[in-house]
Amino acid sequence: MSDWLAALRRMHPAIVTMSVCAALLLIFWVRAFWAVRQKSSTYDEPMHALGAWVHWHQGDWRINYEDPPLWHYWAALPQPADAIRVDFRSPRWRAMADDWNQQWMFTHEVLYRTDGNDGEAFVRRSRAMMLVLGVALGAIIACWGFQIGGAAAAVFATLLYSLDPNFLAHAPLVKNDVAMALCIAGLCLAIWRMGLRLTPWNLAGAAMASAAAMTSKFSGVLLAPALLTILLLIRVAIPRPWGVWCGRSSDGWLTSWWQRLSAAVGVGVLVALVCVLGVWAAYGFSFPAIPDRAVKLNLHPILQQGRLYQFQSEAKGAVTQEQMQNALLEFIRWHMQRWPEDARSYPEEWRKLAESVRPWRPPASTRLLLWMLDRKLMPEAWLSGLIFVEARSYVRGSYLNGQISNTGFRSYFPLAMAYKTPLATIAAGVASGGVALTAWWLGRRQKFNRAPESADRSRLWLACVLLVPIGLYLWLSIRSNLNIGFRHVLPIYPLIFLLLSWALATALVRWKVCGWTGAGVIALVLAVESIAIAPDYLTFFNLAAGGQRGGLNRLGDSNLDWGQDLPALAQFMSRPENRDSALYLSYFGMADPQAYGLRYLNMPGGYELNPQALWPPAGSLVAISATRLQGIYATPELRAEYAKFRSRTPTAVLGGSIYVYDDRPGRKP
């Protein structure tokens, strides 16, 4: 009985801590679910949700093959085979293998133009599943926090996560950003535990997390192997015995560097094998992307687009029509040499012109992927998705501080983090840096008892596991031309939260009163920031960046306006004074405004799936999405027209993303 009571006393702190963390994650789930219920589908969600259903029930990857399918399977779990009616005889479905853009029209046709289908309800069911992954990420943060710093670290890290407006916004969405954050956090946790003691369970966790990352987002194809390699090499270099494949009572320790290196190589080989099997398993161990063997994905338009984008990116300036034509001819020459059977698809004059230009070769990475595709070394859809992502990565509209660029900004992600991170979290980061420097300085002056050398090396290993992924991810993001959303760096934030919680645990050892006071103030400020922006979490900008309204001049697209506020516009139009008024709308998104009962006239450059285009006459009621106001994806002519609206003071801003201009007679400006 006494042994049982002693065990219960030892378990008591852990039980209380996990209960508090579970309560915080329950609050996170309730707030995120409540908020997203008030929002329409964001730009990509309808296509992702439909693609997930098709992948799960049809095993066909012609739609949305630019994303690996593992998270799609999860999103499709609540969608039975009869959840929607789909006409697979549609011309758009047949044309999709040759024209990637057809997937947007096909999605609109199925979800919003097919009798009996409720597209928004269909997306909401998948959203509920994605939110579960967000809660799972919070659970990993809590458990890891408890292991590195005890109860205080676990609760503080979970608090930073569960009150963060960015995770509250993105966790429920049918997107793979939070799913990727879950994979990276799980991978880093498994690597950290492997570095302490390599066991079958830790190895299995690292292998499964790596495979999940590579089948959830294509950035994981590069990131997961790079993280594993770098961190294992660091563990080899740390002169601390490494327990490998042994129990706690065993003496199977690797003491020399070459023994540790051999173990690391073995781990790398095993993880690589699991990743290859994981990718094949994600595609049902089938090579063709399309079950109908008579239909094949046509990568030629994607490769051609990639060549033109690559040329624009390399030019870094104005490109003449003649230069673009020459770049196209270079592609045609390469295309005819690689696929001679397709040479007849080009007019005779183009074939002759192509012979007169310099030879061109695709990047080495594209050549490798095509070589693997020819030999069927990996699934066709997976390799095609990688080719697609690379082709689209050269040029993409980006907006930062009022400037637009097609090749991105090197300062984009550092500034996006400065604008979108809550001030409380930034303050915690500054305080943590102060704690780390102070502890280091006092340790050097030996004002405190030095920890054993083995403890120092354990802390070094933990610091590397947390800091190296942050640095690597940021470095890759900053070098990328794809600057469309702060969401792309979300995977580093769980590691940042753990770093901050570790610093708090360190501070509490030496400065209890200051540590608890600082943590309380940070928690209070973060709660205020989080509550103040609810339910418009996606439009969060901290006060230093100008708050929600300041976002229009800072960042665009998924940072501010992703098409999420059709319900707010529908509610605005349901007011008695607006019911009978004509609405001129320029909407950025793929959800159908008519699904929310909106009767509107489409403006030029507005809703892409509505062929109408009318500029509002004087005295009209106008609603414009923030991304359209910024002109990120508009022609120079359209950008100039929308700049006229942007220079005015809006009558209302709905949800933080739709700007209303009411010029009707008798209305106040």
Side-chain angles (χ1 to χ4, degrees):
M1 183 67 175
S2 59
D3 292 341
W4 183 83
L5 289 174
L8 185 61
R9 290 192 192 98
R10 287 194 299 270
M11 290 175 60
H12 180 68
I15 293 173
V16 172
T17 301
M18 290 301 109
S19 298
V20 173
C21 292
L24 288 171
L25 292 176
L26 177 61
I27 293 171
F28 171 84
W29 182 87
V30 170
R31 294 183 67 200
F33 186 76
W34 165 75
V36 82
R37 292 280 295 182
Q38 303 178 55
K39 301 295 179 180
S40 52
S41 298
T42 58
Y43 197 99
D44 299 333
E45 284 188 284
M47 189 260 290
H48 284 319
L50 179 61
W53 183 88
V54 171
H55 296 167
W56 180 251
H57 293 289
Q58 304 295 323
D60 194 309
W61 283 274
R62 77 183 73 187
I63 180 173
N64 197 200
Y65 64 85
E66 68 271 22
D67 285 300
L70 182 62
W71 67 283
H72 277 170
Y73 296 145
W74 179 260
L77 279 179
Q79 312 281 18
D82 60 352
I84 50 172
R85 299 171 58 190
V86 180
D87 180 11
F88 290 111
R89 297 169 300 175
S90 166
R92 298 194 187 282
W93 174 255
R94 294 195 298 270
M96 205 181 300
D98 289 311
D99 183 3
W100 170 84
N101 286 307
Q102 291 293 328
Q103 65 182 353
W104 300 103
M105 282 74 83
F106 179 75
T107 297
H108 183 262
E109 177 184 286
V110 170
L111 295 186
Y112 301 108
R113 289 291 179 268
T114 300
D115 291 340
N117 287 347
D118 186 339
E120 291 297 281
F122 181 79
V123 172
R124 282 196 296 271
R125 289 194 291 271
S126 289
R127 280 177 164 180
M129 292 302 297
M130 298 308 296
L131 186 52
V132 174
L133 297 184
V135 174
L137 175 57
I140 286 181
I141 293 171
C143 292
W144 196 356
F146 189 79
Q147 293 178 52
I148 65 177
V155 172
F156 191 62
T158 309
L159 184 80
L160 292 174
Y161 172 77
S162 60
L163 294 181
D164 187 280
N166 301 294
F167 281 100
L168 285 164
H170 288 278
L173 301 184
V174 189
K175 290 291 296 181
N176 52 4
D177 301 297
V178 174
M180 186 62 177
L182 174 63
C183 294
I184 296 301
L187 175 60
C188 291
L189 173 58
I191 293 174
W192 174 67
R193 292 186 61 84
M194 275 201 307
L196 299 177
R197 184 180 295 270
L198 177 56
T199 67
W201 287 111
N202 295 336
L203 176 57
M208 293 177 65
S210 298
M214 296 178 70
T215 52
S216 293
K217 195 169 185 177
F218 281 122
S219 59
V221 176
L222 174 63
L223 190 65
L227 277 179
L228 187 71
T229 302
I230 294 171
L231 290 174
L232 284 179
L233 289 177
I234 290 174
R235 180 61 187 91
V236 169
I238 294 176
R240 179 174 182 253
W242 189 5
V244 175
W245 225 270
C246 58
R248 292 188 179 277
S249 60
S250 304
D251 57 352
W253 294 88
L254 306 182
T255 55
S256 64
W257 70 267
W258 64 267
Q259 289 177 321
R260 296 193 295 272
L261 180 60
S262 299
V265 170
V267 167
V269 171
L270 286 172
V271 171
L273 289 173
V274 171
C275 287
V276 171
L277 286 174
V279 171
W280 276 107
Y283 290 89
F285 293 98
S286 175
F287 172 77
I290 302 173
D292 183 355
R293 302 302 173 91
V295 182
K296 187 173 175 18
L297 284 181
N298 183 6
L299 291 179
H300 303 161
I302 299 298
L303 290 165
Q304 176 179 311
Q305 186 181 63
R307 169 55 188 152
L308 298 180
Y309 283 171
Q310 180 192 20
F311 176 76
Q312 289 178 276
S313 177
E314 292 169 350
K316 294 186 182 298
V319 178
T320 66
Q321 189 67 32
E322 182 181 357
Q323 289 173 322
M324 287 295 289
Q325 180 175 310
N326 284 338
L328 177 58
L329 291 172
E330 291 167 9
F331 169 80
I332 292 173
R333 180 173 179 177
W334 170 79
H335 185 186
M336 291 191 300
Q337 290 172 345
R338 192 180 191 282
W339 289 290
E341 66 276 11
D342 291 345
R344 287 174 297 180
S345 64
Y346 296 106
E348 180 66 25
E349 59 180 310
W350 280 94
R351 280 182 274 167
K352 290 181 179 178
L353 285 171
E355 295 298 331
S356 65
V357 300
R358 67 179 178 86
W360 168 76
R361 296 181 75 197
S365 53
T366 301
R367 297 200 305 272
L368 174 62
L369 293 171
L370 290 171
W371 179 83
M372 295 175 68
L373 195 61
D374 291 340
R375 287 154 182 80
K376 302 182 178 180
L377 298 181
M378 297 296 281
E380 180 186 16
W382 191 76
L383 292 171
S384 300
L386 281 168
I387 292 171
F388 177 93
V389 168
E390 182 180 40
R392 297 270 294 178
S393 67
Y394 295 109
V395 173
R396 188 70 178 269
S398 179
Y399 181 89
L400 178 66
N401 293 338
Q403 301 297 314
I404 295 175
S405 171
N406 286 329
T407 54
F409 305 88
R410 289 294 172 257
S411 60
Y412 183 88
F413 284 108
L415 287 177
M417 293 174 69
Y419 296 154
K420 298 282 287 181
T421 303
L423 291 179
T425 306
I426 294 174
V430 173
S432 298
V435 167
L437 288 174
T438 303
W440 172 79
W441 176 253
L442 293 177
R444 283 178 59 88
R445 293 172 63 90
Q446 297 184 346
K447 287 191 174 183
F448 293 91
N449 293 328
R450 296 291 302 272
E453 187 177 0
S454 60
D456 285 341
R457 289 172 181 169
S458 294
R459 287 196 290 266
L460 174 62
W461 172 237
L462 176 59
C464 290
V465 171
L466 293 176
L467 288 171
V468 168
I470 294 173
L472 179 63
Y473 211 101
L474 272 178
W475 181 74
L476 292 173
S477 300
I478 289 170
R479 289 179 58 84
S480 170
N481 290 353
L482 189 65
N483 296 167
I484 59 173
F486 165 81
R487 61 191 173 89
H488 287 160
V489 293
L490 280 180
I492 69 174
Y493 271 77
L495 305 179
I496 291 174
F497 298 153
L498 288 163
L499 271 173
L500 301 183
S501 66
W502 185 27
L504 173 65
T506 303
L508 290 176
V509 172
R510 295 171 174 173
W511 308 285
K512 267 192 177 177
V513 175
C514 291
W516 283 118
T517 302
V521 171
I522 287 169
L524 179 62
V525 174
L526 181 58
V528 170
E529 289 184 278
S530 181
I531 293 171
I533 194 65
D536 305 321
Y537 297 121
L538 198 65
T539 64
F540 173 79
F541 285 79
N542 60 46
L543 287 178
Q548 185 187 61
R549 292 292 288 270
L552 187 67
N553 298 317
R554 302 292 187 187
L555 300 167
D557 206 297
S558 60
N559 301 292
L560 175 66
D561 165 38
W562 218 4
Q564 73 272 15
D565 280 317
L566 287 178
L569 180 59
Q571 186 177 10
F572 175 83
M573 291 304 297
S574 68
R575 296 175 185 174
E577 65 271 21
N578 300 326
R579 286 176 188 163
D580 298 325
S581 298
L583 172 67
Y584 286 81
L585 175 64
S586 181
Y587 170 63
F588 176 74
M590 284 295 161
D592 193 338
Q594 292 184 7
Y596 288 88
L598 287 167
R599 294 178 292 112
Y600 69 99
L601 297 167
N602 194 40
M603 293 172 61
Y607 185 46
E608 298 170 39
L609 299 178
N610 187 333
Q612 294 180 349
L614 297 171
W615 286 113
S620 299
L621 178 61
V622 179
I624 306 176
S625 291
T627 302
R628 298 303 186 202
L629 274 179
Q630 293 166 331
I632 303 174
Y633 306 113
T635 63
E637 294 76 17
L638 283 174
R639 199 174 297 157
E641 289 296 327
Y642 281 108
K644 298 175 183 177
F645 287 97
R646 190 173 168 183
S647 63
R648 298 166 48 190
T649 301
T651 305
V653 180
L654 307 177
S657 74
I658 295 182
Y659 284 66
V660 176
Y661 301 88
D662 192 350
D663 294 332
R664 291 174 294 175
R667 304 288 177 175
K668 293 182 179 180

